[in-house]
Amino acid sequence: MSDQNRRVSVKVMEHSIDAFIISTGGSSYKFVDSPEVHRETVDVRFASIIGFSSSSFKGSLVAICESDFLDKTHPNHQMGMPVGPDEIADWSSEVANQHLGRVKNILSANDVKFDMGTPTTVSGRTMQLTEPKEGIMLKLTFVGEHGPLDVFFQAVMDKNLIIKYIDLEKQPESSAAEGDSILF
Amino acid sequence: MGKKILIVDDSKTIRQQVSFTLAKGGFEVIEAEDGKDGIEKLKANTDVALVISDVNMPNMNGLEMVEAIKAAGSYSHINIIMLTTEGTPELIERAKAAGAKGWLVKPFKPEQLVAAATKLAG
């Protein structure tokens, strides 16, 4: 991945996580770092993995956090409903899904297209992540009041694909932004 | 009892959020976990007035389910709204061509969801 593509990827994912935190009513999370890592063994409570692919851009996104983060950000609290182990695991998947959805919407508006898969959540003590062959793995770390949120971005890009300047607020005609409602 | 709405989403969290919001808006709500389950629930509930469905789901995705519903004579008249994290023009056009009547992007605004449901539940 070129330095330009890497800068843009980090910028888009940072923007997406900020939007997620805001949507859950939180405000105390900040982006710490985004080193390139090759092989990483991480302490994990919940990890959600979601893949994406196109002819020029493919990979996966892995979101790792503690159950406390998932509990405190869970929408059920706003509805006065309980949050149990099933809800925690399900919300972990949705965090990864909504994060990649935001990334997709931003990149798509800037002519980088891909299809999304469906998320899978695993829980356990440790997990080893390895960079994809001919690709890159970035580790984005966010810290805040409910424990760290680590997002691993594994990507393989066509060498001819160059993501130019990204306008984070760009909305192409007939697209829909977060919270939008379009009736046909 | 209000009009019956079928929620189709593989996320239990989203189904609970949508159900809670629509129940507060006066609707009766039933749930399905994916497109296949959604079609089974439609077969078993002939009084469903509106379907609200995610796009990316296992087994049968939301767009495939819309096409299957519109191809089936017995419930092809039911309006369908897509509720998803994605908002690209290509997907919206695909949903429109398949016969969906609306598109909402998660996380949704409760008042917009109720307004859309009220308009399209007939």
Side-chain angles (χ1 to χ4, degrees), chain A:
Chain A
M1 185 185 284
S2 68
D3 285 347
Q4 168 66 11
N5 286 356
R6 176 184 161 158
R7 274 194 299 275
V8 167
S9 298
V10 169
K11 184 179 170 186
V12 170
M13 285 192 290
E14 184 185 350
H15 182 80
S16 169
I17 289 293
D18 281 346
F20 168 75
I21 295 296
I22 290 168
S23 76
T24 62
S27 59
S28 67
Y29 270 74
K30 67 176 185 177
F31 173 59
V32 177
D33 202 4
S34 62
E36 179 178 347
V37 291
H38 304 289
R39 186 184 294 270
E40 187 89 348
T41 301
V42 291
D43 292 332
V44 53
R45 181 67 182 165
F46 285 95
S48 287
I49 305 148
I50 183 166
F52 58 91
S53 65
S54 72
S55 57
S56 59
F57 185 36
K58 61 187 175 185
S60 60
L61 183 147
V62 185
I64 296 174
C65 58
E66 296 290 329
S67 59
D68 192 47
F69 174 87
L70 297 165
D71 184 359
K72 297 293 184 351
T73 60
H74 201 289
N76 276 14
H77 291 301
Q78 295 170 20
M79 302 183 289
M81 295 166 68
V83 177
D86 285 353
E87 284 76 19
I88 295 280
D90 183 77
W91 183 232
S92 179
S93 288
E94 192 58 22
V95 169
N97 185 47
Q98 290 194 12
H99 178 41
L100 186 60
R102 287 186 176 93
V103 170
K104 176 177 178 174
N105 291 339
I106 295 168
L107 291 178
S108 175
N110 291 273
D111 298 323
V112 180
K113 315 282 186 185
F114 59 83
D115 292 324
M116 287 171 59
T118 52
T120 299
T121 293
V122 295
S123 63
R125 283 189 180 169
T126 62
M127 183 167 75
Q128 189 174 81
L129 298 166
T130 306
E131 70 179 346
K133 196 177 177 185
E134 298 172 6
I136 191 173
M137 179 165 67
L138 301 175
K139 178 185 180 184
L140 286 84
T141 298
F142 299 80
V143 295
E145 58 188 331
H146 309 312
L149 169 65
D150 290 326
V151 177
F152 288 83
F153 183 66
Q154 301 174 311
V156 179
M157 284 185 189
D158 186 295
K159 62 183 178 184
N160 296 317
L161 174 66
I162 299 171
I163 309 174
K164 296 175 186 167
Y165 170 77
I166 286 281
D167 179 352
L168 294 169
E169 307 302 332
K170 187 176 177 183
Q171 280 289 312
E173 216 171 295
S174 74
S175 69
E178 203 169 302
D180 271 1
S181 164
I182 299 173
L183 299 185
F184 308 139

